[in-house]
Amino acid sequence: MNKSIAHVLTGRAKQITPEETVIQPLPHKDFRFANPFIVIHHMGPETIPAGSEMRIHPHPHRGFSPVSFMIEGEGYHMDNAGHRGVISSGGIQWMFAGKGLLHSEGPTKEFLARGGVQEMIQIWVNVPKAHKWDEPYYQNAPAEQLPFVLEQEGVKLKLASGSYEGKSSPMKSFTPITAIIGTIAKGKQVQVDAAPGYQALLYIFRGQVTVNGTAASMHQLYVFEKEESGISITADEDAGILFLSGEPIDEPVSAKDNFVMNTPEEVDQAIEDYKNGVFGTLEY
């Protein structure tokens, strides 16, 4: 049986830095969280002229994992826990902030020098209270390490996280989630199965599709009821999708600025810790 659609959320523009605006379908004024999925940001596509200078300045995180899917372009990561990494088109990076760190991200210097199209989606994945104060870690994987799933002509979908069809992504997480991202050619149809009882989301980052009989347009996020398992997706035009499924974390959520904790007091403490230099420094 196919899942019922609980919410249809249209992403809106949100300025996250003085220079950077993203499309944000989650959180939304009509639906805040799909715990463990706290935030979804869609950046681009943007044509960056050769010789540009742009990056997101060092900023703090605590209590969750920012996960980035590079659709097109090339991006770097660095943090003051000593992690460095670069992902290019089709790659994924997964930073677990844990007890807290500073990090910086953006197009690589080499990409900025030559210019090109940059597009990515970043999600914030919550972690259980028991792991929020663990040591930070970082991992990434290029496109060639992510297996194709739901294979057929005109369908190019990759498993970026979790397991599906007996295949597994190399990404490891305290929060078990399945993430499938890629493109579906016009007229093609796929049937995705999500575990009953899990959160299940579908974001359309390009084109238009029909989802369980309902039209879905670019920048819309579909949040499904937890019952049943099936999600039928038909591309009405060439389309790009991100499917997410994860075991719910049945704990309180308090999210503000760059922190995802369990209580407002813990978030206030994180803000004070950042102001007082507890998160350290990062030269970039």
Side-chain angles (χ1 to χ4, degrees), residues 33-62:
F33 303 131
N35 197 4
F37 304 109
I38 305 300
V39 169
I40 299 176
H41 282 166
H42 181 189
M43 306 161 190
E46 178 183 7
T47 299
I48 299 175
S52 297
E53 292 186 11
M54 58 182 296
R55 60 175 60 191
I56 297 179
H57 290 259
H59 55 282
H61 287 308
R62 176 180 285 171

Side-chain angles (χ1 to χ4, degrees), residues 3 194-198 226-229:
K3 284 178 167 290
Y198 276 36
K226 295 186 180 70
E227 294 79 15
E228 309 300 344
S229 61

Side-chain angles (χ1 to χ4, degrees), residues 5 79 87 122 126-127 161 178 188 230 243:
I5 297 167
D79 62 50
I87 55 170
Q122 184 176 97
N126 196 13
V127 299
S161 176
T178 298
K188 297 297 181 179
F243 167 75

Side-chain angles (χ1 to χ4, degrees), residues 159-203:
L159 180 64
S161 176
S163 299
Y164 197 85
E165 295 181 333
K167 303 173 182 178
S168 296
S169 160
M171 295 292 102
K172 306 300 179 186
S173 169
F174 291 121
T175 309
I177 71 166
T178 298
I180 296 172
I181 187 168
T183 58
I184 305 173
K186 180 179 179 179
K188 297 297 181 179
Q189 187 267 340
V190 296
Q191 182 78 18
V192 183
D193 288 319
Y198 276 36
Q199 298 280 10
L201 313 177
L202 182 73
Y203 177 66

Side-chain angles (χ1 to χ4, degrees), residues 53-272:
E53 292 186 11
M54 58 182 296
R55 60 175 60 191
I56 297 179
H57 290 259
H59 55 282
H61 287 308
R62 176 180 285 171
F64 71 102
S65 291
V67 179
S68 300
F69 307 87
M70 185 62 69
I71 299 168
E72 190 171 0
E74 187 176 84
Y76 79 93
H77 162 90
M78 63 187 300
D79 62 50
N80 64 348
H83 307 121
R84 302 288 186 273
V86 171
I87 55 170
S88 56
S89 300
I92 180 177
Q93 70 177 14
W94 191 302
M95 184 193 83
F96 171 59
K99 66 182 184 181
L101 46 60
L102 295 179
H103 86 133
S104 173
E105 57 193 328
T108 63
K109 292 180 180 179
E110 294 78 11
F111 182 85
L112 291 172
R114 65 179 182 269
V117 176
Q118 187 92 341
E119 182 177 15
M120 66 175 285
I121 296 173
Q122 184 176 97
I123 67 174
W124 290 12
V125 179
N126 196 13
V127 299
K129 179 179 180 179
H131 293 293
K132 285 190 179 292
W133 291 90
D134 286 7
E135 291 294 327
Y137 67 76
Y138 171 84
Q139 55 187 333
N140 63 23
E144 54 267 27
Q145 290 184 10
L146 305 179
F148 283 103
V149 292
L150 299 163
E151 292 183 80
Q152 60 171 287
E153 183 181 355
V155 175
K156 295 182 178 179
L157 296 173
K158 288 217 163 185
L159 180 64
S161 176
S163 299
Y164 197 85
E165 295 181 333
K167 303 173 182 178
S168 296
S169 160
M171 295 292 102
K172 306 300 179 186
S173 169
F174 291 121
T175 309
I177 71 166
T178 298
I180 296 172
I181 187 168
T183 58
I184 305 173
K186 180 179 179 179
K188 297 297 181 179
Q189 187 267 340
V190 296
Q191 182 78 18
V192 183
D193 288 319
Y198 276 36
Q199 298 280 10
L201 313 177
L202 182 73
Y203 177 66
I204 296 87
F205 65 82
R206 189 174 303 152
Q208 181 167 311
V209 301
T210 296
V211 182
N212 289 356
T214 301
S217 300
M218 181 174 173
H219 295 157
Q220 286 189 320
L221 175 70
Y222 277 57
V223 181
F224 298 91
E225 299 286 1
K226 295 186 180 70
E227 294 79 15
E228 309 300 344
S229 61
I231 299 172
S232 173
I233 306 167
T234 302
D236 302 317
E237 57 190 48
D238 290 349
I241 64 162
L242 170 63
F243 167 75
L244 299 169
S245 178
E247 184 176 2
I249 299 176
D250 293 323
E251 297 174 353
V253 176
S254 183
K256 183 179 179 181
D257 296 345
N258 296 311
F259 313 107
V260 181
M261 305 302 290
N262 293 107
T263 68
E265 292 76 16
E266 289 173 327
V267 171
D268 290 342
Q269 185 62 56
I271 293 171
E272 285 301 309

